[in-house]
Amino acid sequence: MVKIFGAVMTGFACGYFGFRMSMTLKTRLKNLGDIAASLEMLESEIVFSVNKLKKAFLRIDRNGLFTLAAEDMEDKGIGKAWAAAVAGCVLRRRTVIYC
């Protein structure tokens, strides 16, 4: 009886961790899709619009990454602001679904 109970608990635990990992991967896939779409929109903003890069970042933002970069752009420069925004999203990703 105890072996059967242990086998059932093992099955439920594996199922739980499988569903949890599935949700994490779905969220990651959605975020990567949002970033890809935002980068395409950024390309369109740069090619067809005469907006400054900060304004373009604020217009295309979907998940917070570009807003973080736009906030620090004037102080740190474009490259460092982008790197800080990406690092901030990676660090916050463990507790928050979006940036």
Side-chain angles (χ1 to χ4, degrees), residues 5-62:
F5 180 71
V8 169
M9 291 300 293
T10 301
F12 280 131
C14 289
Y16 169 75
F17 286 120
F19 281 120
R20 187 170 176 173
M21 187 173 235
S22 169
M23 292 302 294
T24 302
L25 292 174
K26 277 184 189 177
T27 303
R28 183 180 295 173
L29 182 63
K30 182 188 179 310
N31 287 342
L32 289 174
D34 286 347
I35 290 171
S38 294
L39 288 173
E40 289 175 5
M41 290 173 56
L42 180 63
E43 180 184 19
S44 297
E45 283 283 327
I46 291 171
V47 171
F48 297 113
S49 183
V50 191
N51 293 331
K52 292 186 176 183
L53 191 58
K54 182 176 181 176
K55 188 174 181 181
F57 270 25
L58 293 173
R59 287 184 63 181
I60 66 165
D61 191 28
R62 288 186 176 193

Side-chain angles (χ1 to χ4, degrees), residues 62-75:
R62 288 186 176 193
N63 60 0
L65 175 65
F66 292 95
T67 300
L68 287 174
E71 289 172 354
D72 294 336
M73 195 174 291
E74 292 177 0
D75 298 333

